PDB file of all heavy atoms in Angstrom:
ATOM      1  N   SER K   1     -11.489  19.855 -52.196  1.00  0.00           N
ATOM      2  CA  SER K   1     -10.728  19.568 -53.399  1.00  0.00           C
ATOM      3  C   SER K   1      -9.263  19.888 -53.173  1.00  0.00           C
ATOM      4  O   SER K   1      -8.900  20.583 -52.210  1.00  0.00           O
ATOM      5  CB  SER K   1     -11.245  20.393 -54.584  1.00  0.00           C
ATOM      6  OG  SER K   1     -10.906  21.754 -54.424  1.00  0.00           O
ATOM      7  N   MET K   2      -8.424  19.403 -54.074  1.00  0.00           N
ATOM      8  CA  MET K   2      -6.989  19.674 -53.934  1.00  0.00           C
ATOM      9  C   MET K   2      -6.717  21.162 -54.000  1.00  0.00           C
ATOM     10  O   MET K   2      -5.821  21.679 -53.346  1.00  0.00           O
ATOM     11  CB  MET K   2      -6.217  18.940 -55.036  1.00  0.00           C
ATOM     12  CG  MET K   2      -6.482  17.416 -55.079  1.00  0.00           C
ATOM     13  SD  MET K   2      -6.162  16.588 -53.507  1.00  0.00           S
ATOM     14  CE  MET K   2      -4.380  16.575 -53.495  1.00  0.00           C
ATOM     15  N   SER K   3      -7.505  21.898 -54.783  1.00  0.00           N
ATOM     16  CA  SER K   3      -7.343  23.344 -54.859  1.00  0.00           C
ATOM     17  C   SER K   3      -7.812  24.008 -53.547  1.00  0.00           C
ATOM     18  O   SER K   3      -7.241  25.034 -53.115  1.00  0.00           O
ATOM     19  CB  SER K   3      -8.086  23.929 -56.055  1.00  0.00           C
ATOM     20  OG  SER K   3      -9.453  23.581 -56.022  1.00  0.00           O
ATOM     21  N   ASP K   4      -8.844  23.444 -52.886  1.00  0.00           N
ATOM     22  CA  ASP K   4      -9.280  23.977 -51.578  1.00  0.00           C
ATOM     23  C   ASP K   4      -8.156  23.850 -50.542  1.00  0.00           C
ATOM     24  O   ASP K   4      -8.096  24.670 -49.615  1.00  0.00           O
ATOM     25  CB  ASP K   4     -10.498  23.183 -51.073  1.00  0.00           C
ATOM     26  CG  ASP K   4     -11.741  23.429 -51.900  1.00  0.00           C
ATOM     27  OD1 ASP K   4     -11.842  24.490 -52.538  1.00  0.00           O
ATOM     28  OD2 ASP K   4     -12.634  22.555 -51.918  1.00  0.00           O
ATOM     29  N   LEU K   5      -7.325  22.849 -50.687  1.00  0.00           N
ATOM     30  CA  LEU K   5      -6.258  22.591 -49.711  1.00  0.00           C
ATOM     31  C   LEU K   5      -5.084  23.531 -49.858  1.00  0.00           C
ATOM     32  O   LEU K   5      -4.299  23.699 -48.950  1.00  0.00           O
ATOM     33  CB  LEU K   5      -5.782  21.146 -49.830  1.00  0.00           C
ATOM     34  CG  LEU K   5      -6.807  20.034 -49.627  1.00  0.00           C
ATOM     35  CD1 LEU K   5      -6.152  18.669 -49.789  1.00  0.00           C
ATOM     36  CD2 LEU K   5      -7.484  20.147 -48.283  1.00  0.00           C
ATOM     37  N   LEU K   6      -4.970  24.158 -51.044  1.00  0.00           N
ATOM     38  CA  LEU K   6      -3.812  24.950 -51.366  1.00  0.00           C
ATOM     39  C   LEU K   6      -3.452  26.016 -50.317  1.00  0.00           C
ATOM     40  O   LEU K   6      -2.275  26.181 -49.981  1.00  0.00           O
ATOM     41  CB  LEU K   6      -3.980  25.579 -52.739  1.00  0.00           C
ATOM     42  CG  LEU K   6      -2.753  26.296 -53.322  1.00  0.00           C
ATOM     43  CD1 LEU K   6      -1.570  25.317 -53.442  1.00  0.00           C
ATOM     44  CD2 LEU K   6      -3.088  26.905 -54.699  1.00  0.00           C
ATOM     45  N   PRO K   7      -4.446  26.746 -49.743  1.00  0.00           N
ATOM     46  CA  PRO K   7      -4.091  27.779 -48.729  1.00  0.00           C
ATOM     47  C   PRO K   7      -3.397  27.202 -47.519  1.00  0.00           C
ATOM     48  O   PRO K   7      -2.692  27.955 -46.817  1.00  0.00           O
ATOM     49  CB  PRO K   7      -5.456  28.363 -48.349  1.00  0.00           C
ATOM     50  CG  PRO K   7      -6.328  28.110 -49.536  1.00  0.00           C
ATOM     51  CD  PRO K   7      -5.874  26.786 -50.072  1.00  0.00           C
ATOM     52  N   TYR K   8      -3.536  25.917 -47.251  1.00  0.00           N
ATOM     53  CA  TYR K   8      -2.931  25.309 -46.062  1.00  0.00           C
ATOM     54  C   TYR K   8      -1.590  24.704 -46.354  1.00  0.00           C
ATOM     55  O   TYR K   8      -0.902  24.217 -45.440  1.00  0.00           O
ATOM     56  CB  TYR K   8      -3.863  24.232 -45.497  1.00  0.00           C
ATOM     57  CG  TYR K   8      -5.188  24.754 -45.056  1.00  0.00           C
ATOM     58  CD1 TYR K   8      -6.301  24.750 -45.931  1.00  0.00           C
ATOM     59  CD2 TYR K   8      -5.383  25.313 -43.809  1.00  0.00           C
ATOM     60  CE1 TYR K   8      -7.540  25.253 -45.520  1.00  0.00           C
ATOM     61  CE2 TYR K   8      -6.586  25.830 -43.387  1.00  0.00           C
ATOM     62  CZ  TYR K   8      -7.667  25.793 -44.261  1.00  0.00           C
ATOM     63  OH  TYR K   8      -8.870  26.281 -43.885  1.00  0.00           O
ATOM     64  N   ILE K   9      -1.179  24.710 -47.611  1.00  0.00           N
ATOM     65  CA  ILE K   9       0.092  24.108 -48.011  1.00  0.00           C
ATOM     66  C   ILE K   9       1.207  25.140 -47.885  1.00  0.00           C
ATOM     67  O   ILE K   9       1.113  26.224 -48.426  1.00  0.00           O
ATOM     68  CB  ILE K   9       0.017  23.584 -49.451  1.00  0.00           C
ATOM     69  CG1 ILE K   9      -1.165  22.618 -49.621  1.00  0.00           C
ATOM     70  CG2 ILE K   9       1.317  22.912 -49.843  1.00  0.00           C
ATOM     71  CD1 ILE K   9      -1.097  21.412 -48.732  1.00  0.00           C
ATOM     72  N   GLU K  10       2.271  24.769 -47.166  1.00  0.00           N
ATOM     73  CA  GLU K  10       3.358  25.715 -46.944  1.00  0.00           C
ATOM     74  C   GLU K  10       4.163  25.960 -48.228  1.00  0.00           C
ATOM     75  O   GLU K  10       4.434  27.088 -48.607  1.00  0.00           O
ATOM     76  CB  GLU K  10       4.276  25.186 -45.842  1.00  0.00           C
ATOM     77  CG  GLU K  10       3.579  25.142 -44.476  1.00  0.00           C
ATOM     78  CD  GLU K  10       4.435  24.455 -43.426  1.00  0.00           C
ATOM     79  OE1 GLU K  10       5.569  24.034 -43.778  1.00  0.00           O
ATOM     80  OE2 GLU K  10       3.962  24.319 -42.283  1.00  0.00           O
ATOM     81  N   ASP K  11       4.558  24.894 -48.914  1.00  0.00           N
ATOM     82  CA  ASP K  11       5.320  25.011 -50.136  1.00  0.00           C
ATOM     83  C   ASP K  11       4.392  24.864 -51.335  1.00  0.00           C
ATOM     84  O   ASP K  11       4.258  23.782 -51.916  1.00  0.00           O
ATOM     85  CB  ASP K  11       6.422  23.967 -50.181  1.00  0.00           C
ATOM     86  CG  ASP K  11       7.427  24.198 -51.305  1.00  0.00           C
ATOM     87  OD1 ASP K  11       7.106  24.974 -52.235  1.00  0.00           O
ATOM     88  OD2 ASP K  11       8.497  23.566 -51.269  1.00  0.00           O
ATOM     89  N   LYS K  12       3.713  25.968 -51.703  1.00  0.00           N
ATOM     90  CA  LYS K  12       2.693  25.901 -52.743  1.00  0.00           C
ATOM     91  C   LYS K  12       3.267  25.549 -54.114  1.00  0.00           C
ATOM     92  O   LYS K  12       2.670  24.842 -54.903  1.00  0.00           O
ATOM     93  CB  LYS K  12       1.922  27.218 -52.793  1.00  0.00           C
ATOM     94  CG  LYS K  12       1.087  27.488 -51.541  1.00  0.00           C
ATOM     95  CD  LYS K  12       0.388  28.807 -51.607  1.00  0.00           C
ATOM     96  CE  LYS K  12      -0.578  29.024 -50.461  1.00  0.00           C
ATOM     97  NZ  LYS K  12       0.040  28.857 -49.139  1.00  0.00           N
ATOM     98  N   LYS K  13       4.435  26.069 -54.408  1.00  0.00           N
ATOM     99  CA  LYS K  13       5.047  25.804 -55.717  1.00  0.00           C
ATOM    100  C   LYS K  13       5.355  24.317 -55.871  1.00  0.00           C
ATOM    101  O   LYS K  13       5.041  23.700 -56.903  1.00  0.00           O
ATOM    102  CB  LYS K  13       6.338  26.606 -55.852  1.00  0.00           C
ATOM    103  CG  LYS K  13       7.034  26.400 -57.213  1.00  0.00           C
ATOM    104  CD  LYS K  13       8.289  27.242 -57.335  1.00  0.00           C
ATOM    105  CE  LYS K  13       8.978  27.014 -58.689  1.00  0.00           C
ATOM    106  NZ  LYS K  13      10.221  27.809 -58.803  1.00  0.00           N
ATOM    107  N   ALA K  14       5.931  23.717 -54.836  1.00  0.00           N
ATOM    108  CA  ALA K  14       6.236  22.299 -54.896  1.00  0.00           C
ATOM    109  C   ALA K  14       4.965  21.452 -55.013  1.00  0.00           C
ATOM    110  O   ALA K  14       4.922  20.442 -55.710  1.00  0.00           O
ATOM    111  CB  ALA K  14       7.049  21.886 -53.659  1.00  0.00           C
ATOM    112  N   TYR K  15       3.920  21.900 -54.313  1.00  0.00           N
ATOM    113  CA  TYR K  15       2.647  21.184 -54.346  1.00  0.00           C
ATOM    114  C   TYR K  15       2.054  21.200 -55.747  1.00  0.00           C
ATOM    115  O   TYR K  15       1.608  20.160 -56.280  1.00  0.00           O
ATOM    116  CB  TYR K  15       1.688  21.853 -53.362  1.00  0.00           C
ATOM    117  CG  TYR K  15       0.310  21.274 -53.282  1.00  0.00           C
ATOM    118  CD1 TYR K  15       0.081  20.040 -52.715  1.00  0.00           C
ATOM    119  CD2 TYR K  15      -0.781  22.000 -53.769  1.00  0.00           C
ATOM    120  CE1 TYR K  15      -1.228  19.523 -52.619  1.00  0.00           C
ATOM    121  CE2 TYR K  15      -2.061  21.507 -53.682  1.00  0.00           C
ATOM    122  CZ  TYR K  15      -2.287  20.279 -53.113  1.00  0.00           C
ATOM    123  OH  TYR K  15      -3.552  19.768 -53.030  1.00  0.00           O
ATOM    124  N   GLU K  16       2.062  22.367 -56.418  1.00  0.00           N
ATOM    125  CA  GLU K  16       1.517  22.477 -57.755  1.00  0.00           C
ATOM    126  C   GLU K  16       2.362  21.677 -58.761  1.00  0.00           C
ATOM    127  O   GLU K  16       1.836  21.065 -59.681  1.00  0.00           O
ATOM    128  CB  GLU K  16       1.464  23.952 -58.166  1.00  0.00           C
ATOM    129  CG  GLU K  16       0.387  24.717 -57.366  1.00  0.00           C
ATOM    130  CD  GLU K  16       0.449  26.201 -57.606  1.00  0.00           C
ATOM    131  OE1 GLU K  16       1.508  26.708 -58.068  1.00  0.00           O
ATOM    132  OE2 GLU K  16      -0.573  26.899 -57.319  1.00  0.00           O
ATOM    133  N   GLU K  17       3.669  21.683 -58.552  1.00  0.00           N
ATOM    134  CA  GLU K  17       4.529  20.863 -59.422  1.00  0.00           C
ATOM    135  C   GLU K  17       4.227  19.379 -59.273  1.00  0.00           C
ATOM    136  O   GLU K  17       4.223  18.629 -60.236  1.00  0.00           O
ATOM    137  CB  GLU K  17       6.008  21.142 -59.108  1.00  0.00           C
ATOM    138  CG  GLU K  17       6.492  22.515 -59.551  1.00  0.00           C
ATOM    139  CD  GLU K  17       7.925  22.784 -59.135  1.00  0.00           C
ATOM    140  OE1 GLU K  17       8.475  21.948 -58.374  1.00  0.00           O
ATOM    141  OE2 GLU K  17       8.475  23.825 -59.541  1.00  0.00           O
ATOM    142  N   MET K  18       3.985  18.986 -58.026  1.00  0.00           N
ATOM    143  CA  MET K  18       3.667  17.598 -57.748  1.00  0.00           C
ATOM    144  C   MET K  18       2.381  17.173 -58.470  1.00  0.00           C
ATOM    145  O   MET K  18       2.330  16.100 -59.106  1.00  0.00           O
ATOM    146  CB  MET K  18       3.500  17.398 -56.250  1.00  0.00           C
ATOM    147  CG  MET K  18       3.067  16.002 -55.801  1.00  0.00           C
ATOM    148  SD  MET K  18       2.833  15.977 -54.031  1.00  0.00           S
ATOM    149  CE  MET K  18       1.455  17.102 -53.856  1.00  0.00           C
ATOM    150  N   LEU K  19       1.360  18.013 -58.399  1.00  0.00           N
ATOM    151  CA  LEU K  19       0.094  17.691 -59.072  1.00  0.00           C
ATOM    152  C   LEU K  19       0.295  17.601 -60.603  1.00  0.00           C
ATOM    153  O   LEU K  19      -0.294  16.735 -61.243  1.00  0.00           O
ATOM    154  CB  LEU K  19      -0.952  18.747 -58.760  1.00  0.00           C
ATOM    155  CG  LEU K  19      -1.438  18.818 -57.309  1.00  0.00           C
ATOM    156  CD1 LEU K  19      -2.455  19.945 -57.162  1.00  0.00           C
ATOM    157  CD2 LEU K  19      -2.050  17.510 -56.878  1.00  0.00           C
ATOM    158  N   SER K  20       1.117  18.466 -61.129  1.00  0.00           N
ATOM    159  CA  SER K  20       1.397  18.447 -62.558  1.00  0.00           C
ATOM    160  C   SER K  20       2.122  17.159 -62.969  1.00  0.00           C
ATOM    161  O   SER K  20       1.750  16.502 -63.950  1.00  0.00           O
ATOM    162  CB  SER K  20       2.227  19.673 -62.939  1.00  0.00           C
ATOM    163  OG  SER K  20       2.587  19.617 -64.286  1.00  0.00           O
ATOM    164  N   ILE K  21       3.121  16.802 -62.233  1.00  0.00           N
ATOM    165  CA  ILE K  21       3.898  15.583 -62.539  1.00  0.00           C
ATOM    166  C   ILE K  21       3.044  14.351 -62.439  1.00  0.00           C
ATOM    167  O   ILE K  21       3.127  13.439 -63.284  1.00  0.00           O
ATOM    168  CB  ILE K  21       5.100  15.466 -61.580  1.00  0.00           C
ATOM    169  CG1 ILE K  21       6.113  16.582 -61.850  1.00  0.00           C
ATOM    170  CG2 ILE K  21       5.781  14.106 -61.722  1.00  0.00           C
ATOM    171  CD1 ILE K  21       7.196  16.681 -60.832  1.00  0.00           C
ATOM    172  N   LEU K  22       2.178  14.307 -61.430  1.00  0.00           N
ATOM    173  CA  LEU K  22       1.365  13.100 -61.199  1.00  0.00           C
ATOM    174  C   LEU K  22       0.082  13.103 -62.020  1.00  0.00           C
ATOM    175  O   LEU K  22      -0.745  12.206 -61.845  1.00  0.00           O
ATOM    176  CB  LEU K  22       1.040  13.002 -59.722  1.00  0.00           C
ATOM    177  CG  LEU K  22       2.257  12.804 -58.794  1.00  0.00           C
ATOM    178  CD1 LEU K  22       1.815  12.707 -57.363  1.00  0.00           C
ATOM    179  CD2 LEU K  22       3.011  11.541 -59.202  1.00  0.00           C
ATOM    180  N   ASP K  23      -0.118  14.095 -62.885  1.00  0.00           N
ATOM    181  CA  ASP K  23      -1.265  14.098 -63.782  1.00  0.00           C
ATOM    182  C   ASP K  23      -2.578  14.124 -62.995  1.00  0.00           C
ATOM    183  O   ASP K  23      -3.492  13.354 -63.280  1.00  0.00           O
ATOM    184  CB  ASP K  23      -1.182  12.862 -64.688  1.00  0.00           C
ATOM    185  CG  ASP K  23      -2.227  12.921 -65.825  1.00  0.00           C
ATOM    186  OD1 ASP K  23      -2.632  14.029 -66.192  1.00  0.00           O
ATOM    187  OD2 ASP K  23      -2.636  11.852 -66.311  1.00  0.00           O
ATOM    188  N   VAL K  24      -2.656  14.988 -61.998  1.00  0.00           N
ATOM    189  CA  VAL K  24      -3.823  15.065 -61.140  1.00  0.00           C
ATOM    190  C   VAL K  24      -4.402  16.463 -61.198  1.00  0.00           C
ATOM    191  O   VAL K  24      -3.843  17.403 -60.628  1.00  0.00           O
ATOM    192  CB  VAL K  24      -3.470  14.719 -59.670  1.00  0.00           C
ATOM    193  CG1 VAL K  24      -4.722  14.806 -58.811  1.00  0.00           C
ATOM    194  CG2 VAL K  24      -2.843  13.347 -59.600  1.00  0.00           C
ATOM    195  N   PRO K  25      -5.536  16.682 -61.872  1.00  0.00           N
ATOM    196  CA  PRO K  25      -6.152  18.017 -61.870  1.00  0.00           C
ATOM    197  C   PRO K  25      -6.590  18.415 -60.468  1.00  0.00           C
ATOM    198  O   PRO K  25      -7.208  17.630 -59.746  1.00  0.00           O
ATOM    199  CB  PRO K  25      -7.373  17.829 -62.784  1.00  0.00           C
ATOM    200  CG  PRO K  25      -7.060  16.588 -63.584  1.00  0.00           C
ATOM    201  CD  PRO K  25      -6.257  15.720 -62.708  1.00  0.00           C
ATOM    202  N   ALA K  26      -6.301  19.619 -60.079  1.00  0.00           N
ATOM    203  CA  ALA K  26      -6.522  20.066 -58.690  1.00  0.00           C
ATOM    204  C   ALA K  26      -7.991  20.070 -58.298  1.00  0.00           C
ATOM    205  O   ALA K  26      -8.319  19.979 -57.125  1.00  0.00           O
ATOM    206  CB  ALA K  26      -5.921  21.460 -58.491  1.00  0.00           C
ATOM    207  N   ASN K  27      -8.907  20.197 -59.258  1.00  0.00           N
ATOM    208  CA  ASN K  27     -10.328  20.225 -58.935  1.00  0.00           C
ATOM    209  C   ASN K  27     -11.046  18.902 -59.130  1.00  0.00           C
ATOM    210  O   ASN K  27     -12.212  18.782 -58.806  1.00  0.00           O
ATOM    211  CB  ASN K  27     -11.047  21.302 -59.791  1.00  0.00           C
ATOM    212  CG  ASN K  27     -10.623  22.701 -59.379  1.00  0.00           C
ATOM    213  OD1 ASN K  27     -10.620  23.022 -58.205  1.00  0.00           O
ATOM    214  ND2 ASN K  27     -10.279  23.521 -60.352  1.00  0.00           N
TER     215      ASN K  27
END
């Protein structure tokens, strides 16, 4: 899941903002 990928993302804040803007629930 997108939330499973979070530990591998370097810029976690930008990643979470991106999901919010694009209306994509992480799970």
Side-chain angles (χ1 to χ4, degrees):
S1 71
M2 305 305 285
S3 55
D4 291 336
L5 302 179
L6 189 58
Y8 298 94
I9 305 300
E10 294 173 2
D11 190 345
K12 293 179 173 55
K13 181 179 179 182
Y15 178 72
E16 291 171 340
E17 288 176 352
M18 176 184 65
L19 293 179
S20 175
I21 292 170
L22 296 180
D23 190 26
V24 180
N27 290 312

